[in-house]
Amino acid sequence: MVKTFRRECHRIIQSERTTIHGADGMLMVLQLAMAQVNKQQGGEFKVALSDVLMAWKQLLLDKLHLPPPNFACLENYDLILEAYESFLKRSNTVDLVDIFSMYKQLRVDSDPEELVQLFQFLSGRTEASELQESTVPSTPSSKSRSCSSQVVRRVFFSYLSLLVNSKNDMALTLTLDVPTRTLGRQAFTDIKHAAQNNNTSLFLAVTSFVRAIQLGGKGYAPTQSDPLRKHIKGLSDFVQFLDNLEEILGEISDPSVCGVRLVATIRAALVKGRSNGDAVYTAAEETAQELKERICQLHQIQKQTLHFLASPKAYAVNHATAYGGRDTVKVLMALLDEEALTPPCRNKADLLSEDQPVLSGAEGTCLLTLFRSPEVVTGCSPEPLTKRIQSRLDLLKPKVRERVIRSQFACTYKDEDELPLNRVLDFPSTSQVPTCVHPAPKFKTTPLDCGPVQQGATLGPGSGNAQNRDAGPSSRKEPGIKTQNKANKRKQVESDQYGGSENEPPQKKQPTSVSVKMPAKNVSKASNKKKLITGQAKLTSFFRV
């Protein structure tokens, strides 16, 4: 059936490089389609294994035109089928049921038993498996393998599939971060969004970005805000590795030598940095040896069969179907077809589960995990219950403070646990300071009086009253005393109105018995030294107590 399709595929489809999904590939694509439909319906990008198996059986019966199942149909089966077919068309791939439909178109006679046999084969029935093992010669692809060996083998065939069909999104997904290139879920999500925005395949989105960085000028290079710029190193390594494989494919004309060289290059990348006893190392060695032998066998069969594939057409050059290494591409396509015809995996949970063997370090190789976009942290989604309980306990736990020695001015420091200092000591706050700009003048005694100076009087800067008060009775005998007293009195009132402060402490009384005549400059300097800041007197008395 597959050989007939390959011979006559140019009559039905446009591209000769269409690859085939086997039973396991069809099941994985169906899982992605169901998860996508669930996400579109307002749910999460997840799907239960039981729902996948139910939809799988219904899909096979529907496409093979067999009687419908006994159980009820799925709710969104039409949307699931549309998403499934869209993924195959976008990836330039077909499944085995499509191959059978094309095979019926190419043939005149048809056997109705073929439908039942194909359904049993894809369903994984025991009879079909025994029939396959008894009729088909034993090939490396039909042997039982461990789980890690199956994952390694899938990576080998994914790299070879990209050389044949670069639009295969599933193949790129399985090889993007194998070996490790620091391209995890976030990088794959950015690539997926770029491909959706440009309506291209994942491979074309990666290569176009890297080529624009390497070859494009300022006008053609991607913008600085492009999300793919964060993963430029890993994407460049991936494209460089595929360029090396393409170079080997184009330069070596012998299909056997070229195929062996390609498998050896992939094997070297997988085992790099691993020890001989590692499971991945052992699986890569065994898979590489099997593929080398099988490629040489297929090359010998190709020499004997002249019309194994359709001859290239003149118009096919622009369709990327004829270039150097075409004979090797024929061998690789035959190898991929054989892999697609292997019996399906018995354990569906191992195939579709997210807990699969890891080849790239931190990320798994499950398609569902990679295609699921990582959640954006917005601060609204609740944390796990254990984290919330632990954070609450840490918040309620009393904090241990170290006892430190503070200076005598420690009361001026800000302490979060104590009340403000103005409330503890009943100091007036800044809101209680008088805001009157022009207070009423206070009564002052004239310099002619022999009594003591008023306590509320304050010596303003530049006033000449201090000299006359301290001079005593001798100052009254100087000539022109009346004119000077009037001027001094006017200066005293002005200084009380604009230069005085109500928060200043009362000054001490000047002794009246002894009168010492001092210069005006010394008096002003002494008054400035005795002048205190606001609240300094009360603070000093507090420290004395």
Side-chain angles (χ1 to χ4, degrees), residues 501 503-505 530-540:
S501 176
N503 292 331
E504 292 183 359
K530 294 180 180 180
K531 195 172 182 179
L532 303 178
I533 63 176
T534 305
Q536 184 176 356
K538 294 187 178 182
L539 191 61
T540 306

Side-chain angles (χ1 to χ4, degrees), residues 83-138:
Y84 176 84
E85 297 292 344
S86 176
F87 187 90
L88 294 181
K89 184 178 180 180
R90 186 172 61 251
S91 301
N92 191 25
T93 56
V94 292
D95 57 11
L96 290 177
V97 181
D98 296 333
I99 294 294
F100 180 75
S101 301
M102 298 176 189
Y103 175 70
K104 288 173 58 178
Q105 296 178 12
L106 297 173
R107 278 181 52 185
V108 179
D109 55 339
S110 59
D111 187 5
E113 292 295 330
E114 294 177 350
L115 293 174
V116 181
Q117 294 177 4
L118 182 59
F119 175 76
Q120 292 178 352
F121 173 77
L122 294 177
S123 302
R125 299 289 180 86
T126 307
E127 296 81 8
S129 301
E130 293 177 355
L131 179 64
Q132 178 75 8
E133 293 176 1
S134 60
T135 56
V136 179
S138 60

Side-chain angles (χ1 to χ4, degrees), residues 21 52 62 64 79 140 238 265 273 305 335 450 526 528 539 544:
H21 279 301
V52 176
D62 183 25
L64 291 173
L79 298 177
F238 177 73
T265 305
T305 308
L335 184 65
C450 298
N528 290 335
L539 191 61
R544 287 177 179 174

Side-chain angles (χ1 to χ4, degrees), residues 7-165:
R7 270 198 315 267
E8 307 293 337
C9 63
H10 63 280
R11 296 167 49 186
I12 302 176
I13 57 179
Q14 297 180 355
S15 176
E16 296 181 1
R17 297 207 172 193
T18 302
T19 51
I20 303 174
H21 279 301
D24 294 340
M26 294 171 62
L27 196 57
M28 289 189 289
V29 173
L30 179 63
Q31 184 187 27
L32 292 178
M34 295 183 67
Q36 180 180 353
V37 171
N38 290 342
K39 183 66 178 294
Q40 293 175 356
Q41 297 298 323
E44 298 181 0
F45 197 85
K46 293 181 180 180
V47 60
L49 180 60
S50 59
D51 296 340
V52 176
L53 298 180
M54 186 182 301
W56 169 245
K57 186 175 181 180
Q58 185 174 352
L59 176 69
L60 295 179
L61 295 175
D62 183 25
K63 296 191 70 172
L64 291 173
H65 304 287
L66 293 176
N70 299 328
F71 53 85
C73 297
L74 295 177
E75 182 179 358
N76 300 319
Y77 175 74
D78 296 337
L79 298 177
I80 294 173
L81 182 60
E82 181 181 357
Y84 176 84
E85 297 292 344
S86 176
F87 187 90
L88 294 181
K89 184 178 180 180
R90 186 172 61 251
S91 301
N92 191 25
T93 56
V94 292
D95 57 11
L96 290 177
V97 181
D98 296 333
I99 294 294
F100 180 75
S101 301
M102 298 176 189
Y103 175 70
K104 288 173 58 178
Q105 296 178 12
L106 297 173
R107 278 181 52 185
V108 179
D109 55 339
S110 59
D111 187 5
E113 292 295 330
E114 294 177 350
L115 293 174
V116 181
Q117 294 177 4
L118 182 59
F119 175 76
Q120 292 178 352
F121 173 77
L122 294 177
S123 302
R125 299 289 180 86
T126 307
E127 296 81 8
S129 301
E130 293 177 355
L131 179 64
Q132 178 75 8
E133 293 176 1
S134 60
T135 56
V136 179
S138 60
T139 59
S141 59
S142 61
K143 296 180 181 179
S144 58
R145 306 175 187 88
S146 61
C147 193
S148 60
S149 178
Q150 290 178 356
V151 175
V152 173
R153 187 180 184 85
R154 202 177 300 155
V155 172
F156 268 95
F157 279 96
S158 297
Y159 272 116
L160 298 178
S161 178
L162 282 178
L163 297 178
V164 176
N165 178 20

Side-chain angles (χ1 to χ4, degrees), residues 300-522:
Q300 296 299 326
I301 298 175
Q302 181 183 357
K303 287 182 179 180
Q304 299 174 2
T305 308
L306 299 178
H307 302 286
F308 183 76
L309 292 176
S311 58
K313 307 297 181 180
Y315 67 87
V317 177
N318 295 331
H319 290 236
T321 57
Y323 63 100
R326 177 174 175 81
D327 294 336
T328 307
V329 173
K330 294 179 182 179
V331 176
L332 295 180
M333 292 177 68
L335 184 65
L336 294 174
D337 292 343
E338 280 191 357
E339 184 66 18
L341 296 177
T342 55
C345 179
R346 298 287 186 87
N347 194 344
K348 307 300 182 184
D350 291 341
L351 180 65
L352 304 177
S353 175
E354 299 185 17
D355 300 331
Q356 293 195 10
V358 177
L359 297 181
S360 58
E363 299 287 345
T365 56
C366 180
L367 293 177
L368 189 63
T369 305
L370 290 177
F371 274 88
R372 182 188 303 129
S373 302
E375 298 180 359
V376 181
V377 180
T378 59
C380 300
S381 57
E383 297 181 352
L385 182 60
T386 55
K387 292 185 178 180
R388 284 183 286 169
I389 294 176
Q390 186 63 32
S391 60
R392 184 62 179 173
L393 291 177
D394 295 341
L395 184 62
L396 297 178
K397 186 182 299 183
K399 298 180 180 180
V400 181
R401 290 182 175 272
E402 298 181 358
R403 303 294 298 178
V404 295
I405 302 176
R406 296 185 177 183
S407 63
Q408 60 178 349
F409 299 102
C411 59
T412 60
Y413 299 159
K414 183 179 180 180
D415 198 346
E416 297 179 356
D417 297 338
E418 298 179 2
L419 293 175
L421 186 63
N422 58 355
R423 296 188 181 182
V424 176
L425 303 178
D426 294 330
F427 286 172
S429 61
T430 55
S431 61
Q432 297 174 353
V433 176
T435 56
C436 184
V437 181
H438 302 288
K442 298 183 178 181
F443 296 100
K444 310 294 181 196
T445 57
T446 59
L448 297 177
D449 298 337
C450 298
V453 182
Q454 294 290 337
Q455 294 183 0
T458 306
L459 295 177
S463 65
N465 295 341
Q467 181 179 359
N468 296 330
R469 275 199 306 272
D470 296 339
S474 59
S475 62
R476 293 195 297 267
K477 297 180 182 180
E478 295 178 6
I481 191 67
K482 294 183 179 180
T483 337
Q484 186 178 1
N485 290 340
K486 290 181 180 180
N488 292 341
K489 186 174 182 180
R490 183 170 59 255
K491 292 180 181 180
Q492 180 69 23
V493 172
E494 291 177 358
S495 64
D496 290 340
Q497 291 180 357
Y498 300 100
S501 176
E502 295 183 358
N503 292 331
E504 292 183 359
Q507 298 182 358
K508 296 183 180 180
K509 296 181 180 181
Q510 299 291 339
T512 55
S513 58
V514 181
S515 61
V516 181
K517 187 176 182 180
M518 298 177 61
K521 295 182 179 180
N522 296 337

Side-chain angles (χ1 to χ4, degrees), residues 183-232:
L183 298 175
R185 288 178 56 193
Q186 185 61 49
F188 182 81
T189 302
D190 295 338
I191 297 172
K192 183 179 63 176
H193 292 168
Q196 292 175 355
N197 295 335
N198 299 327
N199 196 18
T200 60
S201 62
L202 298 179
F203 180 81
L204 186 58
V206 174
T207 52
S208 60
F209 172 77
V210 176
R211 302 303 184 207
I213 291 292
Q214 295 176 349
L215 307 177
K218 292 183 178 179
Y220 297 95
T223 60
Q224 296 295 333
S225 60
D226 196 326
L228 295 180
R229 279 190 174 272
K230 299 180 294 185
H231 321 289
I232 184 172

